[in-house]
Amino acid sequence: MNNLNIDWATVSAMKAKAKDAAKRAATSARETAVAAAKEAQKQYVESKDQREALAEQAKSFAERVGRTLEDLVDETTAAPGPGGDGEKKIIDLTYVTDRFVAMGFPAGRRGAPGSAAARASANPIDAVAAHLRTYHDGHYMVLNISEESYDYAKFGDNVLEFKFPGHPAPPLGMLFKICASLESWLEADPDNVAAVHCLTGRGRTSAVLACALAWLGAFDSNPIEALRHVATRRRDDVERLTIPSQRRYVSYFANVLDGCAPRSEPLLLRRAIMHTIPNFGTQEKPGCCPYLQFFKGGRLAYTTTWQGAADPGVAEGKGDDEKTPERAWAGPAEGSLVFPVDCVVHGDLLVRCRHVDASGSRVSMFRAALHVGFAPTGVLRLAKEQLDGACGDDRFDADFFVDLIFAPLERGDEDAEGAAAAGATPRAHTDAGGVEP
């Protein structure tokens, strides 16, 4: 019995001890919770104060800039007219952030070069210069990625120019150089701003700004989220503002920021396969007369037409770029077309498909800019929506796609690899002087 009494007493003591410990723990937990609540309230108040301060700063900045934009910007004018008031108005200028400006091409009296879209979004250079001088005098830099020059003296010669002819977005290495240059400029002075433009102020400009924002740590260093922000600020959506190749390079940039660098080794591009035949012909004669071109550094490196085309000169890449392939018509019955390539490729690559009509004129069908370092060893499939020009074009079937077949370099290809690293393509027949327009 004593043993039993002792056991119960021990149990009772343990219960009392546990109850006391639980009480102390509950008291401590309450004290911790109260302290955490007070700290959260303090942080909320501080955060609210910060948000209100930032909002006030943004409001002040918007009002300050708005006064000049009200005088200089005419959002209802499609394009400046010669001799009219529109000539003095800024057509296209957006503060993506308080330090980044996206704008149309700053054109002189002759207007902007290029397409109708470029001319429609062009800004009178004097109006843009006046705006930048008024609100950012001594603290602005213009980034020109249009391939076109103008009177840089209008901006105090503070214009940084990058050229990458033919490519819809800067090559990957250049894209990082641009971002580093913008970072250096913005870090030099907290009042510094950068105004970025291409010919239209849309695709190239948006892709570069998205990458620059992510590079500087905005949007959790996510270029894709940054691109959505740019599109929102430009009052557009990403799909209309950019084309597939530009979005592809924004994704490449995101990969590198996430620690996934492209391979440096070249690959062998064996062939390209086009699935389904686009209709660039007529109702009586549907189909197309296609050939593929491959560009490196803005220069034409290789040309090929599909197997079965009658012109061997063009098929082997030996013919003049202006030579018209004869009887190389592909009708719907062909189903798929195989384009032999057998070419060493590396780095940034531009693939373009063109159609030759009955008069011998060339029409661009689609193109794709890509980086070989992110291509698989095997099949890279580009669907219709991933091809510039094909997406949104009813002449291409909904299930249209292009396969690029890559293979690793085999033994005995060391010379080819060395030449590829030097910028040559020893397995390709090149067309001299061919430059991507």
Side-chain angles (χ1 to χ4, degrees):
M1 291 294 293
N2 287 338
N3 289 338
L4 184 61
N5 289 335
I6 291 173
D7 289 341
W8 280 112
T10 302
V11 170
S12 179
M14 290 175 62
K15 282 183 177 179
K17 187 175 181 181
K19 184 177 180 181
D20 185 57
K23 184 177 180 181
R24 288 198 307 271
T27 301
S28 176
R30 280 196 301 272
E31 290 174 350
T32 301
V34 170
K38 289 181 178 179
E39 181 63 24
Q41 177 66 17
K42 179 183 176 183
Q43 291 181 359
Y44 173 78
V45 172
E46 292 177 351
S47 176
K48 183 179 179 182
D49 291 342
Q50 289 176 354
R51 289 197 303 272
E52 289 176 350
L54 289 172
E56 188 60 32
Q57 291 176 10
K59 182 180 178 182
S60 174
F61 177 79
E63 290 176 350
R64 184 163 56 90
V65 172
R67 285 193 292 273
T68 185
L69 292 182
E70 186 177 340
D71 294 333
L72 293 174
V73 176
D74 181 7
E75 295 183 352
T76 64
T77 303
D85 291 338
E87 210 166 31
K88 301 176 183 177
K89 298 287 188 178
I90 294 176
I91 303 298
D92 180 19
L93 188 149
T94 302
Y95 279 83
V96 173
T97 68
D98 60 350
R99 304 191 73 187
F100 278 120
V101 176
M103 66 183 188
F105 185 86
R109 288 188 173 273
R110 293 184 178 181
S115 65
R119 292 190 295 274
S121 61
N123 292 316
I125 191 170
D126 289 331
V128 175
H131 171 75
L132 293 176
R133 283 196 307 270
T134 301
Y135 291 99
H136 308 291
D137 193 25
H139 292 283
Y140 68 85
M141 177 182 72
V142 177
L143 176 64
N144 177 8
I145 50 174
S146 70
E147 314 291 342
E148 299 287 345
S149 298
Y150 43 87
D151 186 0
Y152 291 165
K154 297 280 188 180
F155 300 104
D157 291 317
N158 200 20
V159 179
L160 186 63
E161 183 181 76
F162 283 88
K163 291 188 175 183
F164 40 100
H167 275 262
L172 194 57
M174 183 182 291
L175 194 49
F176 278 92
K177 289 180 182 178
I178 291 173
C179 290
S181 299
L182 291 172
E183 180 184 32
S184 297
W185 168 249
L186 295 181
E187 286 186 344
D189 193 298
D191 291 329
N192 283 356
V193 301
V196 183
H197 74 84
C198 51
L199 270 180
T200 64
R202 294 177 62 79
R204 284 183 170 192
T205 297
S206 300
V208 166
L209 283 171
C211 292
L213 286 168
W215 175 259
L216 293 169
F219 303 98
D220 295 326
S221 297
N222 186 332
I224 298 171
E225 287 299 321
L227 183 58
R228 293 194 184 102
H229 168 78
V230 173
T232 299
R233 295 294 300 150
R234 297 291 272 162
R235 298 179 183 179
D236 213 331
D237 60 57
V238 171
E239 285 69 28
R240 280 203 306 262
L241 194 63
T242 58
I243 56 178
S245 288
Q246 291 160 349
R247 297 193 290 273
R248 186 176 301 114
Y249 267 73
V250 172
S251 295
Y252 289 160
F253 196 89
N255 289 344
V256 177
L257 291 186
D258 288 339
C260 180
R263 294 187 314 271
S264 58
E265 300 82 11
L267 293 176
L268 189 63
L269 179 54
R270 289 289 190 189
R271 59 191 172 274
I273 303 174
M274 181 190 298
H275 176 70
T276 76
I277 311 302
N279 185 15
F280 279 71
T282 62
Q283 187 173 359
E284 294 75 21
K285 187 181 180 182
C288 59
C289 181
Y291 64 99
L292 289 181
Q293 297 176 307
F294 299 88
F295 292 87
K296 178 67 180 175
R299 298 193 64 84
L300 180 62
Y302 191 73
T303 303
T304 181
T305 192
W306 56 285
Q307 284 180 342
D311 189 340
V314 176
E316 295 177 6
K318 298 177 182 178
D320 190 321
D321 186 42
E322 296 306 314
K323 187 174 181 180
T324 302
E326 296 177 1
R327 295 182 297 279
W329 192 267
E334 296 288 346
S336 297
L337 303 179
V338 178
F339 297 79
V341 183
D342 198 29
C343 176
V344 176
V345 292
H346 68 108
D348 302 280
L349 182 69
L350 181 70
V351 183
R352 182 174 72 176
C353 184
R354 302 181 90 184
H355 160 72
V356 183
D357 65 19
S359 68
S361 299
R362 283 153 171 73
V363 178
S364 289
M365 297 173 64
F366 64 82
R367 70 175 181 177
L370 57 101
H371 195 287
V372 176
F374 286 111
T377 302
V379 180
L380 173 62
R381 175 162 294 180
L382 298 172
K384 174 182 176 178
E385 61 271 15
Q386 296 172 306
L387 295 165
D388 308 341
C391 60
D393 191 334
D394 292 338
R395 292 175 293 185
F396 295 82
D397 290 343
D399 59 350
F400 176 86
F401 63 81
V402 173
D403 282 341
L404 299 177
I405 314 300
F406 293 95
L409 293 181
E410 301 171 355
R411 239 178 225 195
D413 286 331
E414 289 83 1
D415 293 340
E417 183 176 354
T425 51
R427 287 176 175 250
H429 303 286
T430 60
D431 292 324
V435 179
E436 168 72 357

